[in-house]
Amino acid sequence: MTAPLKHRTLSAAIVDRLRQAILAGTYPAGTQLRQDAMAETYGVSRIPVREALFQLEAEGFVRIVPHKGAIVSELSLDEINDVFDLRCLLEPRLLSQSAPRFAEADFAALDAIQARFEAAIAAGDVGQWGVINAEFHMALYTKARQPRTQSIVAALLQTSDRYTRLQLSNTAAMGIAEQEHAELIRQCRAGRFAEAAAFLVGHIEAVRADLLRVVARSGAAGGDTNSRSVALE
Amino acid sequence: MTAPLKHRTLSAAIVDRLRQAILAGTYPAGTQLRQDAMAETYGVSRIPVREALFQLEAEGFVRIVPHKGAIVSELSLDEINDVFDLRCLLEPRLLSQSAPRFAEADFAALDAIQARFEAAIAAGDVGQWGVINAEFHMALYTKARQPRTQSIVAALLQTSDRYTRLQLSNTAAMGIAEQEHAELIRQCRAGRFAEAAAFLVGHIEAVRADLLRVVARSGAAGGDTNSRSVALE
DNA sequence: CTAGCGTAGATTTTATACAATCGAGGAGTC
DNA sequence: GACTCCTCGATTGTATAAAATCTACGCTAG
């Protein structure tokens, strides 16, 4: 199996750990991440920390202001909608090009991920859920010849994960997602690609609707004036 | 005038200089960028160079392999089509949301950019062309509330610039683009937003067609060592 | 009492130095 | 003769330390 825990460089390891920490809410939006503190926390020098922060900035997790530092990005309603709109636009396009090229090995890979997904749900492992979900979606698109779109969607999936974590441990939603993934595999196996693409949009929209429901209930979801941040404190 | 030449940090300056060098073809695709050499060339330490390379990797200009170094990305037909498909998909969407919100100040800004565009064309300043073109497109989308899409399109425009440079000093195409930009402004001023969006797609497709024509005639886009860069159907 | 200026502290940015890693080429062995 | 292993050189990755920059606080002057 691929060993995602093995990193070839310290910076990459810090990227993962910091990202997980942000996803888990250890560093809430607005938190300033001081290089010294991070270096101390993870027992490394400040150089890997710096590089990790830059990487996370490229991924959209933090905002870096020169000479001022890195601040964990705010979550905004505008961005939620933007991200999910983009996913609805791009993912079906990837699937349509990728799915017809699937061989049996690709389906086997999907099944394997699906199995791990079920296991993670059963174990209630919220941290793994988003990771495996992203893995599944990307596996659907491996055969597409759209390298740029693929990397964009990979980033979008990570951002989605961050938002989705707001509704922590929504096991019901996780179960639904798992069933929908299974349905996607079935439709692709049956060669019903257009149907699968449409179903995929529904799947993404369902997640978005779920998320918006939680955000709306949890309080003022970003004023309409500037619609900045989701109040979370 | 805006002062884009002033950078708040060395790393940012190196990013710009390296990017320009790659765009200009000083470092062709496949070139390995050694940190030592870059540091020496620009008279700085290796730290800013490293950070610049990471930034450029996020922008898609180089590919970094741990412990091996940074290699200037290859240009592939797949990516050309992917990038332009994405632009055709995303840019009209931005325009539709942004244009109806334009105030007079926004149109004035567009006119100012347009003027600089004309000047650059008259001066035959190929290096500035892509920069101002990107500035114009992004100015069209300032009023859109789609932060993620905006940053994605900004990156796509830079990549487009890199491809477009292949047909160096195609002044005819530049003139056409300038006229089409003017038409876009007119349509937005007149409030014909749907028409403008459609026209925008035509504008992007025209650039792509022009580019593909040049690529097809000049043989291959990059090194055709492996099938990836010449994959066509 | 308020506004402006200057200084001190903290934090980031950059430089220098050291350690780890990869690839190539040669010696030794089967 | 071909293969394996190992050592060396080159390059990248990391740590430590110095330089530059920003923020905040206090002081002085009006």
Side-chain angles (χ1 to χ4, degrees), chain B residues 72-152:
Chain B
V72 179
S73 304
E74 300 283 346
L75 305 173
S76 81
L77 258 178
D78 279 346
E79 206 194 359
I80 291 182
N81 284 313
D82 193 17
V83 166
F84 279 90
D85 282 343
L86 282 168
R87 288 187 56 190
C88 288
L89 216 55
L90 302 182
E91 295 202 40
R93 201 168 134 265
L94 285 171
L95 185 68
S96 298
Q97 197 183 50
S98 174
R101 297 197 177 122
F102 276 164
E104 191 46 45
D106 301 305
F107 285 115
L110 283 170
D111 288 335
I113 297 174
Q114 180 75 347
R116 285 168 46 217
F117 198 50
E118 291 177 34
I121 292 178
D125 193 342
V126 186
Q128 283 298 303
W129 182 74
V131 177
I132 303 180
N133 179 65
E135 237 180 286
F136 179 84
H137 279 255
M138 291 312 293
L140 283 174
Y141 316 136
T142 40
K143 283 289 187 293
R145 291 184 185 171
Q146 303 172 356
R148 195 57 169 259
T149 306
Q150 282 162 319
S151 70
I152 289 173

Side-chain angles (χ1 to χ4, degrees), chain A residues 82-94:
Chain A
D82 194 15
V83 166
F84 279 89
D85 282 344
L86 282 168
R87 290 187 55 189
C88 287
L89 217 53
L90 301 182
E91 295 201 41
R93 201 168 134 267
L94 285 171

